[in-house]
């Protein structure tokens, strides 16, 4: 993913793109782990893991829907 990302962006933007990529990879993963760990304590681990799997699928579906709306609005 990193190699594809670096190949797609212009050279003057690579530093900025890498900082956002690093933030997402190294910053959000511990926060998500903490959230799912806390949620697992409250509602049970299997349900928390299931919700953790459904959340990215729902986010991808919503993003695809919104991108389609933007494309048709042009």
């Amino acid at each position: 993913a990193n190699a594809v990302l670096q190949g797609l962006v212009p050279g003057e933007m690579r530093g900025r793109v890498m900082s956002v990529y690093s933030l997402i990879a190294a910053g959000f993963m511990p926060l998500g782990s903490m959230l799912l760990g806390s949620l697992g304590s409250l509602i049970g681990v299997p349900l928390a893991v299931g919700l953790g799997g459904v959340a990215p699928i729902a986010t991808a579906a919503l993003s695809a829907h919104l991108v389609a709306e933007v494309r048709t609005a042009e």
Side-chain angles (χ1 to χ4, degrees), residues 3 8 10 16 21-22 24 29 35 44 49 53-55 60 66-68 70:
L8 291 175
R16 294 181 183 121
Y21 182 80
S22 298
I24 291 170
M29 190 168 39
L35 175 66
V49 170
V54 169
L66 293 176
V67 168
V70 169

Side-chain angles (χ1 to χ4, degrees), residues 11-61:
E12 62 270 7
M13 299 296 289
R14 285 199 180 118
R16 294 181 183 121
V17 170
M18 275 310 300
S19 67
V20 172
Y21 182 80
S22 298
L23 173 70
I24 291 170
F28 288 148
M29 190 168 39
L31 291 175
S33 298
M34 183 176 66
L35 175 66
L36 279 178
S38 299
L39 191 61
S41 297
L42 295 173
I43 64 171
V45 173
L47 186 56
V49 170
L51 289 174
V54 169
I57 294 169
T59 302

